């Protein structure tokens, strides 16, 4: 409830919002259309077969702030606390958290709440934003992921493999205007109010 009183100028603009997201190598939205003659519905040239699980994909980690963003980091394999601390928090999150009054937001995924992670954050005097379990996901970076996905799908040529997929994601991540990220963070007071008004139910965010 205390966050309902937070303002952009005094509070939200100091938060480093972070998260992981998974992007498929091939995107199938079930909306492709083809012109065909009667009786050709199941002809091979009229069928677009979706590979299992989208043909694979890439998991990435990123963080956004009111004035910048982290590099986009590839998460190979299954993320654990040691990898999270050594390859993500230390090289990528800590520089963003060096700003005055910075607070760090990450959800309650197991690598984020592991003792190794919490001890590392405490040792580096990182002020972590409380994020109650089973709470509505108000993290504005979720909409940054949406924007990244739209930019990726708008490319004329889809990346043919995971390496080029990650390269494309890096390029599009860097191309997202800072004003877009700033606008998402500025929506935090409205997001909190929307949850209050809906009594914790679904909102447009």
């Amino acid at each position: 409830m205390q966050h309902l009183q937070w303002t952009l100028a005094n509070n939200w603009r100091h938060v480093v919002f972070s998260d992981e997201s998974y992007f498929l190598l091939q995107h199938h939205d079930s909306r492709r259309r083809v012109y065909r003659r009667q009786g050709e519905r199941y002809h091979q040239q009229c069928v677009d077969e979706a590979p299992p699980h989208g043909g694979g994909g890439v998991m990435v980690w990123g963080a956004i702030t009111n004035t910048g963003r982290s590099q986009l980091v590839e998460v190979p394999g299954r993320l654990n606390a040691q990898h999270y601390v050594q390859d993500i928090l230390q090289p990528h999150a800590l520089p963003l958290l060096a700003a005055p009054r910075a607070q760090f937001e990450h959800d309650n995924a197991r690598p984020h709440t592991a003792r190794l992670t919490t001890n590392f954050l405490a040792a580096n005097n990182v002020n972590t934003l409380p994020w109650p379990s089973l709470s509505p996901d108000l993290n504005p970076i979720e909409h940054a992921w949406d924007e990244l996905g739209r930019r990726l799908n708008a490319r004329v040529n889809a990346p043919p493999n995971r390496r080029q997929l990650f390269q494309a994601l890096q390029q599009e991540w860097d191309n997202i205007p800072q004003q877009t990220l700033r606008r998402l963070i500025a929506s935090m007071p409205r997001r909190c109010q929307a949850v209050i008004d809906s009594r914790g139910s679904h909102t447009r965010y």
Side-chain angles (χ1 to χ4, degrees):
M1 181 68 77
Q2 64 174 341
H3 298 142
L4 185 60
Q5 308 302 323
W6 279 24
T7 64
L8 177 64
N10 294 327
N11 307 100
W12 293 118
R13 68 188 303 268
H14 300 292
V15 177
V16 177
F17 294 95
S18 71
D19 197 14
E20 296 86 24
S21 189
Y22 190 80
F23 291 87
L24 293 175
L25 186 58
Q26 296 188 28
H27 175 74
H28 289 264
D29 60 6
S30 301
R31 296 180 181 178
R32 299 196 179 205
R33 300 291 184 267
V34 297
Y35 290 100
R36 55 180 171 79
R37 298 182 180 89
Q38 186 175 1
E40 292 183 340
R41 182 173 185 176
Y42 299 112
H43 284 198
Q44 183 62 41
Q45 65 267 28
C46 298
V47 175
D48 183 18
E49 297 180 352
H53 311 294
V58 173
M59 177 171 283
V60 297
W61 175 92
I64 62 173
T65 73
N66 196 59
T67 57
R69 75 203 72 185
S70 71
Q71 293 181 2
L72 197 67
V73 182
E74 184 175 5
V75 181
R78 188 177 182 87
L79 182 65
N80 57 41
Q82 183 175 2
H83 174 45
Y84 185 54
V85 168
Q86 293 181 353
D87 301 325
I88 294 178
L89 293 182
Q90 190 164 22
H92 299 286
L94 284 187
L96 295 175
L97 293 164
R101 299 178 61 186
Q103 292 198 48
F104 185 53
E105 186 282 327
H106 59 179
D107 61 24
N108 293 311
R110 185 171 297 179
H112 302 174
T113 59
R115 181 175 298 180
L116 179 66
T117 300
T118 56
N119 287 347
F120 173 82
L121 294 174
N124 286 276
N125 300 311
V126 173
N127 187 8
T128 304
L129 186 69
W131 209 256
S133 298
L134 303 179
S135 61
D137 192 352
L138 302 181
N139 192 342
I141 201 174
E142 296 295 345
H143 287 84
W145 295 139
D146 291 343
E147 174 67 17
L148 180 57
R150 285 190 293 270
R151 287 173 171 267
L152 180 67
N153 295 331
R155 288 193 162 209
V156 175
N157 298 315
N161 53 55
R162 290 182 178 86
R163 181 181 61 82
Q164 292 188 33
L165 172 60
F166 179 59
Q167 291 175 347
L169 287 168
Q170 285 181 306
Q171 293 170 4
E172 297 301 344
W173 173 256
D174 292 340
N175 288 337
I176 296 176
Q178 184 60 35
Q179 181 58 33
T180 298
L181 305 181
R182 192 176 296 118
R183 185 173 63 252
L184 292 176
I185 294 174
S187 71
M188 283 304 299
R190 298 192 299 275
R191 292 168 186 257
C192 291
Q193 186 62 56
V195 171
I196 298 297
D197 294 343
S198 68
R199 298 180 182 271
S201 187
H202 300 291
T203 71
R204 69 187 185 91
Y205 298 103

